[in-house]
Coordinates of all heavy atoms in Angstrom, one line a residue:
M1 N 53.6 -60.7 171.8 CA 54.4 -60.1 170.8 C 54.4 -58.6 171.1 O 53.4 -58.0 171.4 CB 53.7 -60.4 169.4 CG 54.5 -59.8 168.3 SD 53.8 -60.2 166.6 CE 53.8 -61.9 166.6
T2 N 55.6 -58.0 170.9 CA 55.7 -56.6 171.2 C 56.2 -55.9 169.9 O 56.6 -56.6 168.9 CB 56.6 -56.3 172.3 OG1 57.9 -56.7 172.0 CG2 56.2 -56.9 173.6
F3 N 56.3 -54.6 169.9 CA 56.8 -53.8 168.8 C 58.2 -54.3 168.3 O 58.5 -54.2 167.2 CB 56.9 -52.3 169.2 CG 57.4 -51.4 168.2 CD1 56.6 -51.1 167.1 CD2 58.6 -50.9 168.2 CE1 57.0 -50.3 166.1 CE2 59.1 -50.1 167.3 CZ 58.3 -49.7 166.2
F4 N 59.0 -54.8 169.3 CA 60.3 -55.1 168.9 C 60.5 -56.6 168.4 O 61.5 -56.9 167.9 CB 61.2 -54.9 170.2 CG 61.3 -53.5 170.6 CD1 60.5 -53.1 171.7 CD2 62.0 -52.6 169.9 CE1 60.5 -51.8 172.1 CE2 62.0 -51.2 170.3 CZ 61.2 -50.9 171.4
D5 N 59.5 -57.4 168.5 CA 59.5 -58.7 168.1 C 59.5 -58.8 166.5 O 58.9 -58.0 165.9 CB 58.4 -59.6 168.6 CG 58.4 -59.8 170.1 OD1 59.5 -59.8 170.6 OD2 57.4 -60.0 170.6
S6 N 60.2 -59.7 166.0 CA 60.2 -59.9 164.5 C 58.8 -60.4 164.2 O 58.1 -61.0 164.9 CB 61.2 -60.9 164.1 OG 60.9 -62.2 164.7
G7 N 58.4 -60.0 163.0 CA 57.1 -60.4 162.5 C 56.0 -59.4 162.8 O 54.9 -59.5 162.2
V8 N 56.2 -58.4 163.6 CA 55.2 -57.4 163.9 C 54.9 -56.6 162.7 O 53.8 -56.3 162.3 CB 55.5 -56.6 165.1 CG1 54.5 -55.4 165.3 CG2 55.5 -57.4 166.4
E9 N 56.0 -56.2 162.0 CA 55.9 -55.4 160.8 C 55.0 -56.1 159.8 O 54.1 -55.5 159.2 CB 57.2 -55.0 160.2 CG 57.1 -54.1 159.1 CD 58.5 -53.6 158.6 OE1 59.4 -53.5 159.4 OE2 58.6 -53.4 157.4
R10 N 55.2 -57.4 159.6 CA 54.4 -58.2 158.7 C 53.0 -58.2 159.2 O 52.1 -58.1 158.4 CB 55.1 -59.6 158.6 CG 54.5 -60.4 157.5 CD 55.2 -61.8 157.3 NE 55.5 -62.2 158.4 CZ 56.3 -62.7 159.4 NH1 56.9 -63.0 159.4 NH2 56.6 -63.1 160.4
A11 N 52.8 -58.4 160.5 CA 51.4 -58.5 161.0 C 50.7 -57.2 160.9 O 49.5 -57.2 160.8 CB 51.5 -58.9 162.5
M12 N 51.4 -56.1 160.8 CA 50.8 -54.8 160.7 C 50.2 -54.5 159.3 O 49.5 -53.6 159.1 CB 51.7 -53.7 161.1 CG 52.2 -53.7 162.6 SD 50.8 -53.6 163.7 CE 50.4 -51.9 163.5
Q13 N 50.6 -55.3 158.3 CA 50.1 -55.1 157.0 C 48.7 -55.6 156.9 O 48.3 -56.6 157.4 CB 50.9 -55.9 156.0 CG 52.4 -55.5 156.0 CD 52.6 -54.0 155.7 OE1 52.0 -53.4 154.9 NE2 53.5 -53.4 156.6
P14 N 47.8 -54.8 156.3 CA 46.4 -55.2 156.2 C 46.2 -56.4 155.4 O 46.9 -56.6 154.4 CB 45.7 -54.0 155.6 CG 46.7 -53.1 155.0 CD 48.0 -53.5 155.7
A15 N 45.3 -57.3 155.8 CA 45.1 -58.6 155.1 C 44.3 -58.3 153.8 O 44.4 -59.1 152.9 CB 44.3 -59.5 156.0
S16 N 43.6 -57.2 153.7 CA 42.8 -56.9 152.5 C 42.9 -55.5 152.2 O 43.5 -54.7 153.0 CB 41.4 -57.4 152.7 OG 40.8 -56.5 153.6
G17 N 42.3 -55.0 151.2 CA 42.3 -53.6 150.8 C 41.5 -52.8 151.8 O 41.6 -51.6 151.8
S18 N 40.7 -53.4 152.6 CA 39.8 -52.6 153.5 C 40.4 -52.5 154.8 O 40.9 -53.5 155.4 CB 38.4 -53.3 153.5 OG 37.6 -52.8 154.5
G19 N 40.2 -51.4 155.5 CA 40.6 -51.2 156.9 C 39.6 -51.6 157.8 O 39.8 -51.5 159.0
A20 N 38.4 -52.1 157.3 CA 37.3 -52.5 158.2 C 37.2 -54.0 158.3 O 37.6 -54.7 157.4 CB 36.0 -51.9 157.7
V21 N 36.7 -54.5 159.4 CA 36.5 -55.9 159.6 C 35.1 -56.1 160.2 O 34.6 -55.2 160.9 CB 37.5 -56.5 160.5 CG1 38.9 -56.5 159.8 CG2 37.6 -55.8 161.8
G22 N 34.5 -57.3 160.0 CA 33.3 -57.6 160.6 C 32.1 -56.9 160.0 O 32.2 -56.0 159.2
V23 N 30.9 -57.4 160.4 CA 29.6 -56.9 159.9 C 29.4 -55.4 160.2 O 29.0 -54.6 159.4 CB 28.5 -57.7 160.4 CG1 27.1 -57.2 159.9 CG2 28.6 -59.2 160.0
A24 N 29.8 -55.0 161.4 CA 29.6 -53.6 161.8 C 30.6 -52.6 161.3 O 30.6 -51.5 161.6 CB 29.6 -53.5 163.3
E25 N 31.5 -53.1 160.4 CA 32.6 -52.3 159.8 C 33.4 -51.6 160.9 O 33.6 -50.4 160.8 CB 31.9 -51.2 158.9 CG 31.3 -51.8 157.7 CD 32.2 -52.6 156.7 OE1 33.3 -52.1 156.5 OE2 31.8 -53.7 156.3
V26 N 33.9 -52.4 161.8 CA 34.8 -51.9 162.9 C 36.2 -51.8 162.2 O 36.7 -52.7 161.7 CB 34.8 -52.8 164.1 CG1 35.8 -52.3 165.1 CG2 33.4 -52.9 164.7
T27 N 36.8 -50.6 162.3 CA 38.1 -50.4 161.7 C 39.2 -50.7 162.7 O 38.9 -50.7 163.9 CB 38.3 -49.0 161.2 OG1 38.3 -48.1 162.3 CG2 37.2 -48.6 160.2
H28 N 40.4 -51.0 162.2 CA 41.5 -51.2 163.1 C 41.7 -50.0 164.0 O 42.0 -50.0 165.1 CB 42.8 -51.5 162.3 CG 42.6 -52.8 161.5 ND1 42.6 -54.0 162.0 CD2 42.5 -52.9 160.1 CE1 42.4 -54.9 161.1 NE2 42.4 -54.3 159.9
A29 N 41.6 -48.8 163.4 CA 41.8 -47.5 164.1 C 40.8 -47.4 165.2 O 41.1 -46.9 166.3 CB 41.6 -46.3 163.1
T30 N 39.5 -47.8 165.0 CA 38.5 -47.8 166.1 C 38.9 -48.6 167.2 O 38.8 -48.2 168.4 CB 37.1 -48.2 165.5 OG1 36.7 -47.3 164.5 CG2 36.1 -48.2 166.6
I31 N 39.4 -49.8 166.9 CA 39.8 -50.8 168.0 C 41.0 -50.2 168.7 O 41.0 -50.2 170.0 CB 40.1 -52.2 167.4 CG1 38.9 -52.8 166.7 CG2 40.8 -53.1 168.4 CD1 37.8 -53.1 167.7
R32 N 41.9 -49.7 168.0 CA 43.1 -49.1 168.7 C 42.8 -47.9 169.5 O 43.4 -47.7 170.6 CB 44.2 -48.8 167.6 CG 44.7 -50.1 167.0 CD 45.6 -49.9 165.9 NE 46.0 -51.2 165.3 CZ 46.8 -51.3 164.2 NH1 47.3 -50.3 163.7 NH2 47.0 -52.5 163.8
D33 N 41.8 -47.1 169.0 CA 41.4 -45.9 169.8 C 40.7 -46.3 171.1 O 40.7 -45.6 172.1 CB 40.5 -45.1 169.0 CG 41.2 -44.3 167.9 OD1 42.4 -44.2 167.9 OD2 40.4 -43.8 167.0
Q34 N 40.2 -47.5 171.2 CA 39.4 -48.0 172.3 C 40.3 -48.8 173.3 O 39.9 -49.2 174.4 CB 38.2 -48.9 171.9 CG 37.2 -48.1 171.2 CD 36.0 -49.0 170.9 OE1 36.1 -50.1 170.5 NE2 34.8 -48.4 171.0
L35 N 41.6 -49.1 173.0 CA 42.4 -49.9 173.8 C 42.6 -49.4 175.2 O 42.7 -50.2 176.1 CB 43.7 -50.3 173.1 CG 43.7 -51.3 172.0 CD1 45.0 -51.6 171.4 CD2 43.1 -52.6 172.6
S36 N 42.8 -48.1 175.3 CA 43.0 -47.6 176.7 C 41.8 -47.8 177.6 O 41.9 -48.3 178.7 CB 43.3 -46.1 176.6 OG 43.5 -45.5 177.9
D37 N 40.6 -47.5 177.0 CA 39.4 -47.8 177.8 C 39.2 -49.3 178.0 O 38.7 -49.7 179.0 CB 38.2 -47.2 177.1 CG 38.2 -45.7 177.1 OD1 38.8 -45.1 178.0 OD2 37.6 -45.1 176.1
Y38 N 39.6 -50.1 177.0 CA 39.5 -51.6 177.1 C 40.3 -52.1 178.3 O 39.9 -52.8 179.1 CB 40.0 -52.2 175.8 CG 40.1 -53.7 175.8 CD1 38.9 -54.5 175.5 CD2 41.3 -54.3 175.9 CE1 39.0 -55.8 175.5 CE2 41.4 -55.7 175.8 CZ 40.2 -56.5 175.6 OH 40.3 -57.8 175.5
L39 N 41.6 -51.6 178.4 CA 42.5 -52.0 179.4 C 42.1 -51.5 180.8 O 42.4 -52.1 181.8 CB 43.9 -51.6 179.1 CG 44.5 -52.3 177.9 CD1 45.9 -51.7 177.5 CD2 44.5 -53.8 178.0
D40 N 41.4 -50.3 180.8 CA 40.8 -49.8 182.0 C 39.5 -50.4 182.4 O 38.9 -50.0 183.5 CB 40.7 -48.2 181.9 CG 41.9 -47.5 181.9 OD1 43.0 -48.0 182.3 OD2 42.0 -46.3 181.4
N41 N 39.0 -51.3 181.6 CA 37.7 -51.9 181.9 C 36.5 -50.9 181.9 O 35.6 -51.0 182.7 CB 37.7 -52.8 183.1 CG 38.5 -54.0 183.0 OD1 38.4 -54.7 182.0 ND2 39.4 -54.2 183.9
S42 N 36.6 -49.8 181.1 CA 35.6 -48.8 181.1 C 34.7 -48.8 179.8 O 34.0 -47.9 179.6 CB 36.2 -47.4 181.3 OG 37.1 -47.1 180.3
L43 N 34.8 -49.8 179.0 CA 34.0 -50.0 177.8 C 32.6 -50.6 178.2 O 32.6 -51.3 179.2 CB 34.6 -50.8 176.8 CG 35.9 -50.3 176.1 CD1 36.4 -51.3 175.1 CD2 35.6 -49.0 175.4
T44 N 31.6 -50.4 177.5 CA 30.4 -51.1 177.7 C 30.6 -52.5 177.3 O 31.6 -52.9 176.7 CB 29.2 -50.5 176.8 OG1 29.6 -50.8 175.4 CG2 29.0 -49.0 177.0
E45 N 29.7 -53.4 177.8 CA 29.8 -54.8 177.5 C 29.9 -55.1 176.0 O 30.7 -55.9 175.5 CB 28.6 -55.6 178.1 CG 28.7 -57.1 177.9 CD 27.6 -57.8 178.6 OE1 27.0 -57.3 179.6 OE2 27.3 -58.9 178.1
L46 N 29.0 -54.4 175.2 CA 29.0 -54.6 173.8 C 30.4 -54.1 173.1 O 30.9 -54.8 172.3 CB 27.9 -53.8 173.1 CG 27.8 -53.8 171.6 CD1 27.6 -55.2 171.1 CD2 26.7 -52.9 171.1
E47 N 30.9 -53.0 173.6 CA 32.1 -52.5 173.0 C 33.3 -53.4 173.4 O 34.1 -53.7 172.6 CB 32.4 -51.1 173.6 CG 31.5 -50.0 173.0 CD 31.7 -48.7 173.8 OE1 31.9 -48.7 175.1 OE2 31.5 -47.6 173.2
R48 N 33.3 -53.9 174.6 CA 34.3 -54.8 175.1 C 34.3 -56.1 174.3 O 35.3 -56.6 173.8 CB 34.2 -55.1 176.6 CG 35.3 -56.0 177.1 CD 35.4 -56.0 178.6 NE 36.7 -56.6 179.0 CZ 37.8 -56.0 179.0 NH1 37.9 -54.7 178.6 NH2 38.9 -56.6 179.3
R49 N 33.1 -56.6 174.1 CA 32.9 -57.9 173.3 C 33.4 -57.7 171.8 O 34.1 -58.5 171.3 CB 31.5 -58.3 173.3 CG 31.3 -59.7 172.7 CD 29.9 -60.3 173.0 NE 28.8 -59.4 172.7 CZ 28.0 -58.9 173.6 NH1 28.1 -59.3 174.9 NH2 27.0 -58.1 173.3
R50 N 33.1 -56.5 171.3 CA 33.6 -56.2 169.9 C 35.1 -56.1 169.8 O 35.7 -56.7 168.9 CB 33.0 -54.8 169.5 CG 33.3 -54.5 168.0 CD 32.7 -53.2 167.6 NE 31.3 -53.0 167.9 CZ 30.8 -51.9 168.3 NH1 31.5 -50.8 168.5 NH2 29.5 -51.9 168.6
V51 N 35.7 -55.5 170.8 CA 37.2 -55.4 170.8 C 37.8 -56.9 171.0 O 38.7 -57.2 170.3 CB 37.7 -54.5 172.0 CG1 39.2 -54.6 172.1 CG2 37.3 -53.1 171.7
D52 N 37.2 -57.6 172.0 CA 37.7 -59.0 172.2 C 37.6 -59.8 170.9 O 38.6 -60.5 170.5 CB 36.8 -59.7 173.2 CG 37.1 -59.3 174.7 OD1 38.3 -58.9 174.9 OD2 36.2 -59.4 175.5
E53 N 36.5 -59.7 170.2 CA 36.3 -60.5 169.0 C 37.3 -60.1 167.9 O 37.8 -60.9 167.2 CB 34.9 -60.4 168.5 CG 33.9 -61.1 169.3 CD 32.4 -60.8 169.0 OE1 32.2 -60.0 168.0 OE2 31.5 -61.3 169.7
H54 N 37.5 -58.8 167.8 CA 38.5 -58.3 166.8 C 39.9 -58.8 167.2 O 40.6 -59.2 166.3 CB 38.4 -56.7 166.8 CG 39.4 -56.2 165.7 ND1 39.0 -56.1 164.4 CD2 40.6 -55.7 165.8 CE1 40.1 -55.6 163.7 NE2 41.1 -55.4 164.6
L55 N 40.3 -58.7 168.4 CA 41.6 -59.1 168.8 C 41.8 -60.6 168.6 O 43.0 -61.0 168.3 CB 41.9 -58.7 170.3 CG 42.0 -57.2 170.6 CD1 42.1 -57.0 172.1 CD2 43.2 -56.6 169.8
E56 N 40.8 -61.4 168.7 CA 40.9 -62.8 168.4 C 41.3 -63.1 167.0 O 42.0 -64.0 166.7 CB 39.6 -63.5 168.7 CG 39.3 -63.7 170.2 CD 38.0 -64.4 170.5 OE1 37.4 -65.0 169.5 OE2 37.5 -64.2 171.6
R57 N 40.8 -62.2 166.1 CA 41.0 -62.4 164.6 C 42.2 -61.6 164.0 O 42.6 -62.0 163.0 CB 39.7 -62.0 163.9 CG 38.5 -62.8 164.1 CD 37.4 -62.5 163.2 NE 37.1 -61.0 163.1 CZ 36.2 -60.4 163.9 NH1 35.6 -61.1 164.9 NH2 36.0 -59.1 163.8
C58 N 42.6 -60.6 164.7 CA 43.5 -59.7 164.1 C 44.9 -59.7 164.8 O 45.0 -59.1 165.9 CB 42.9 -58.2 164.1 SG 44.0 -57.0 163.3
S59 N 45.9 -60.3 164.1 CA 47.2 -60.3 164.8 C 47.9 -59.0 164.8 O 48.6 -58.7 165.8 CB 48.1 -61.3 164.0 OG 48.3 -60.9 162.6
A60 N 47.6 -58.1 163.9 CA 48.1 -56.7 163.9 C 47.6 -55.9 165.1 O 48.4 -55.3 165.8 CB 47.8 -56.0 162.6
C61 N 46.4 -56.0 165.4 CA 45.8 -55.3 166.6 C 46.3 -56.0 167.9 O 46.5 -55.3 168.9 CB 44.3 -55.2 166.5 SG 43.8 -54.0 165.2
R62 N 46.4 -57.3 167.9 CA 47.0 -58.0 169.1 C 48.4 -57.5 169.3 O 48.8 -57.3 170.5 CB 46.9 -59.5 168.9 CG 45.6 -60.1 169.2 CD 45.7 -61.7 169.3 NE 46.5 -62.3 168.3 CZ 46.0 -62.7 167.2 NH1 44.7 -62.5 166.9 NH2 46.7 -63.4 166.3
A63 N 49.2 -57.4 168.3 CA 50.6 -56.9 168.5 C 50.5 -55.4 169.0 O 51.3 -55.1 169.9 CB 51.3 -56.9 167.1
Y64 N 49.6 -54.6 168.5 CA 49.5 -53.2 169.0 C 49.1 -53.2 170.4 O 49.6 -52.5 171.2 CB 48.4 -52.5 168.1 CG 48.3 -51.1 168.3 CD1 49.0 -50.2 167.5 CD2 47.5 -50.5 169.3 CE1 48.9 -48.8 167.7 CE2 47.4 -49.2 169.6 CZ 48.2 -48.3 168.7 OH 48.1 -47.0 168.9
E65 N 48.1 -54.1 170.8 CA 47.7 -54.2 172.2 C 48.9 -54.6 173.1 O 49.1 -54.1 174.2 CB 46.6 -55.2 172.4 CG 46.2 -55.4 173.8 CD 45.4 -56.6 174.1 OE1 45.4 -57.5 173.3 OE2 44.9 -56.7 175.2
A66 N 49.7 -55.6 172.7 CA 50.8 -56.1 173.5 C 51.8 -55.0 173.6 O 52.4 -54.8 174.7 CB 51.4 -57.3 172.8
T67 N 52.1 -54.2 172.6 CA 53.0 -53.1 172.7 C 52.5 -52.0 173.6 O 53.2 -51.4 174.4 CB 53.3 -52.5 171.3 OG1 53.8 -53.6 170.5 CG2 54.3 -51.4 171.3
F68 N 51.2 -51.8 173.5 CA 50.5 -50.8 174.4 C 50.7 -51.2 175.8 O 51.0 -50.4 176.7 CB 49.1 -50.6 174.0 CG 48.4 -49.5 174.6 CD1 48.7 -48.2 174.3 CD2 47.3 -49.7 175.4 CE1 48.1 -47.1 174.9 CE2 46.6 -48.6 176.0 CZ 47.0 -47.3 175.8
R69 N 50.4 -52.5 176.1 CA 50.5 -53.0 177.5 C 52.0 -52.8 178.0 O 52.2 -52.4 179.1 CB 50.1 -54.4 177.6 CG 48.6 -54.6 177.5 CD 48.3 -56.1 177.6 NE 46.9 -56.4 177.4 CZ 46.0 -56.5 178.4 NH1 46.4 -56.3 179.7 NH2 44.8 -56.8 178.1
A70 N 52.9 -53.2 177.1 CA 54.4 -53.1 177.5 C 54.8 -51.7 177.8 O 55.5 -51.4 178.7 CB 55.2 -53.7 176.4
T71 N 54.2 -50.7 177.0 CA 54.5 -49.3 177.2 C 53.9 -48.9 178.5 O 54.6 -48.1 179.3 CB 53.9 -48.5 176.0 OG1 54.5 -48.9 174.8 CG2 54.2 -47.0 176.2
L72 N 52.7 -49.3 178.9 CA 52.1 -48.9 180.1 C 52.9 -49.4 181.3 O 53.2 -48.7 182.3 CB 50.7 -49.4 180.2 CG 49.7 -48.7 179.3 CD1 48.3 -49.4 179.4 CD2 49.5 -47.3 179.6
R73 N 53.4 -50.7 181.2 CA 54.2 -51.2 182.3 C 55.5 -50.5 182.4 O 56.0 -50.2 183.5 CB 54.5 -52.7 182.0 CG 53.4 -53.7 182.4 CD 53.8 -55.1 182.3 NE 54.4 -55.5 181.1 CZ 53.7 -56.0 180.0 NH1 52.4 -56.1 180.1 NH2 54.3 -56.3 178.9
A74 N 56.2 -50.1 181.3 CA 57.4 -49.4 181.3 C 57.3 -48.0 181.9 O 58.1 -47.6 182.8 CB 58.0 -49.3 179.9
V75 N 56.2 -47.3 181.5 CA 56.0 -46.0 182.1 C 55.7 -46.1 183.5 O 56.1 -45.3 184.4 CB 54.9 -45.3 181.3 CG1 54.5 -44.0 182.0 CG2 55.4 -45.0 179.9
G76 N 54.9 -47.1 183.9 CA 54.5 -47.3 185.3 C 55.7 -47.6 186.2 O 55.7 -47.4 187.4
A77 N 56.7 -48.2 185.6 CA 57.9 -48.5 186.4 C 58.9 -47.4 186.5 O 59.9 -47.5 187.3 CB 58.6 -49.7 185.7
L78 N 58.7 -46.3 185.9 CA 59.6 -45.1 186.0 C 59.5 -44.6 187.4 O 58.4 -44.6 188.0 CB 59.2 -44.0 185.0 CG 59.4 -44.4 183.5 CD1 58.8 -43.3 182.6 CD2 60.9 -44.5 183.3
P79 N 60.6 -44.1 187.9 CA 60.5 -43.5 189.3 C 59.7 -42.2 189.2 O 59.7 -41.5 188.3 CB 62.0 -43.2 189.6 CG 62.7 -43.1 188.2 CD 61.9 -44.0 187.3
R80 N 59.0 -42.0 190.3 CA 58.2 -40.8 190.5 C 59.1 -39.7 191.1 O 59.7 -39.9 192.2 CB 57.0 -41.0 191.3 CG 56.1 -42.1 190.7 CD 54.7 -42.1 191.3 NE 54.0 -43.2 190.8 CZ 53.2 -43.2 189.8 NH1 53.1 -42.0 189.1 NH2 52.5 -44.2 189.4
V81 N 59.1 -38.5 190.5 CA 60.0 -37.4 191.0 C 59.1 -36.3 191.4 O 58.2 -35.9 190.6 CB 61.0 -37.0 189.9 CG1 61.8 -35.9 190.4 CG2 61.8 -38.2 189.4
Q82 N 59.3 -35.7 192.5 CA 58.5 -34.6 193.0 C 58.9 -33.3 192.2 O 60.1 -33.1 191.9 CB 58.8 -34.3 194.5 CG 58.2 -35.3 195.4 CD 56.7 -35.1 195.5 OE1 56.1 -34.0 195.2 NE2 56.0 -36.1 195.9
A83 N 57.9 -32.6 191.8 CA 58.1 -31.3 191.1 C 58.7 -30.3 192.1 O 58.4 -30.4 193.3 CB 56.8 -30.8 190.5
P84 N 59.6 -29.5 191.7 CA 60.1 -28.4 192.6 C 59.0 -27.5 193.1 O 58.0 -27.3 192.4 CB 61.1 -27.6 191.7 CG 61.2 -28.3 190.4 CD 60.1 -29.4 190.3
A85 N 59.2 -27.0 194.3 CA 58.2 -26.2 194.9 C 57.9 -25.0 194.0 O 56.8 -24.5 194.0 CB 58.7 -25.7 196.3
S86 N 58.9 -24.4 193.4 CA 58.7 -23.3 192.5 C 57.8 -23.6 191.3 O 56.9 -22.8 191.0 CB 60.1 -22.8 191.9 OG 60.7 -23.8 191.2
A87 N 57.8 -24.8 190.8 CA 56.9 -25.2 189.7 C 55.5 -25.4 190.3 O 54.5 -24.9 189.6 CB 57.4 -26.5 189.1
K88 N 55.4 -25.9 191.4 CA 54.0 -26.1 192.0 C 53.4 -24.7 192.3 O 52.3 -24.5 192.0 CB 54.1 -26.9 193.4 CG 54.5 -28.3 193.2 CD 54.6 -29.0 194.5 CE 55.1 -30.4 194.4 NZ 55.2 -31.1 195.7
R89 N 54.3 -23.8 192.8 CA 53.8 -22.4 193.1 C 53.3 -21.8 191.8 O 52.3 -21.1 191.8 CB 54.9 -21.7 193.8 CG 54.5 -20.4 194.5 CD 55.6 -19.8 195.4 NE 57.0 -19.9 194.9 CZ 57.9 -20.8 195.4 NH1 57.6 -21.6 196.4 NH2 59.1 -20.8 194.9
R90 N 54.1 -21.9 190.8 CA 53.8 -21.3 189.5 C 52.5 -21.8 188.9 O 51.7 -21.1 188.4 CB 54.9 -21.4 188.5 CG 54.7 -20.8 187.1 CD 54.7 -19.3 187.3 NE 54.5 -18.7 185.9 CZ 53.5 -17.8 185.7 NH1 52.8 -17.3 186.6 NH2 53.4 -17.4 184.4
L91 N 52.3 -23.1 189.0 CA 51.1 -23.8 188.5 C 49.8 -23.2 189.3 O 48.8 -23.0 188.7 CB 51.2 -25.3 188.6 CG 52.1 -25.9 187.6 CD1 52.3 -27.4 187.9 CD2 51.5 -25.7 186.1
R92 N 50.0 -23.1 190.6 CA 48.9 -22.5 191.4 C 48.6 -21.1 190.9 O 47.4 -20.7 190.8 CB 49.2 -22.6 192.9 CG 48.9 -23.9 193.5 CD 48.9 -23.8 195.1 NE 50.2 -23.5 195.6 CZ 51.1 -24.5 195.9 NH1 50.9 -25.7 195.6 NH2 52.3 -24.1 196.4
E93 N 49.6 -20.3 190.7 CA 49.4 -18.9 190.2 C 48.6 -18.9 188.9 O 47.7 -18.1 188.7 CB 50.7 -18.2 190.1 CG 51.4 -17.9 191.4 CD 52.8 -17.4 191.2 OE1 53.3 -17.2 190.0 OE2 53.5 -17.2 192.2
I94 N 49.0 -19.8 188.0 CA 48.4 -19.9 186.7 C 46.9 -20.3 186.8 O 46.1 -19.7 186.1 CB 49.2 -20.8 185.7 CG1 50.5 -20.3 185.4 CG2 48.4 -21.1 184.5 CD1 51.5 -21.2 184.7
S95 N 46.7 -21.3 187.6 CA 45.3 -21.8 187.8 C 44.4 -20.8 188.4 O 43.2 -20.8 188.3 CB 45.3 -23.1 188.5 OG 45.6 -22.9 189.9
Q96 N 44.9 -19.9 189.2 CA 44.1 -18.9 189.9 C 43.9 -17.6 189.1 O 43.1 -16.8 189.4 CB 44.7 -18.5 191.3 CG 44.7 -19.7 192.2 CD 45.5 -19.4 193.5 OE1 46.1 -18.4 193.6 NE2 45.5 -20.3 194.4
A97 N 44.7 -17.5 188.0 CA 44.6 -16.3 187.2 C 43.3 -16.3 186.3 O 42.6 -17.1 186.1 CB 45.8 -16.2 186.3

């Protein structure tokens, strides 16, 4: 499911009045903040397991993850353009100042 699929808006609505889930009170925001590290496989085993367990239960965060993955693929598919020599020169000047 991606951001553009129907039903995502419905899935994004919290199931209860609390933004936290599970015994450790892991919030949806905490999970979403960790998704980049999760996809890079740079979380600890405990953190990764916590994100996995949350994603199994939470359709809203699964939709967020799917959209995040789709965004990464789309950005990765963009053509790479060389910066002009003048921009490179200016950046070197700034970094040496």
Side-chain angles (χ1 to χ4, degrees):
M1 185 179 296
T2 67
F3 178 74
F4 299 102
D5 292 335
S6 63
V8 173
E9 185 174 325
R10 191 174 38 242
M12 296 300 288
Q13 301 303 314
S16 67
S18 170
V21 295
V23 175
E25 295 299 317
V26 176
T27 65
H28 300 288
T30 300
I31 296 300
R32 292 172 186 180
D33 286 345
Q34 291 181 323
L35 280 179
S36 182
D37 292 332
Y38 176 80
L39 296 176
D40 287 341
N41 292 314
S42 60
L43 293 178
T44 67
E45 183 178 334
L46 176 62
E47 291 168 326
R48 183 165 193 81
R49 191 168 47 243
R50 186 180 308 141
V51 172
D52 282 334
E53 289 171 1
H54 181 84
L55 291 174
E56 286 177 19
R57 294 187 310 271
C58 181
S59 63
C61 288
R62 280 195 311 275
Y64 190 93
E65 177 200 12
T67 301
F68 190 65
R69 285 180 187 268
T71 302
L72 291 174
R73 280 192 304 273
V75 169
L78 291 172
R80 299 193 187 270
V81 178
Q82 287 287 340
S86 60
K88 292 178 185 179
R89 199 169 33 256
R90 181 69 181 127
L91 288 172
R92 275 195 292 277
E93 290 171 4
I94 292 170
S95 68
Q96 294 172 356

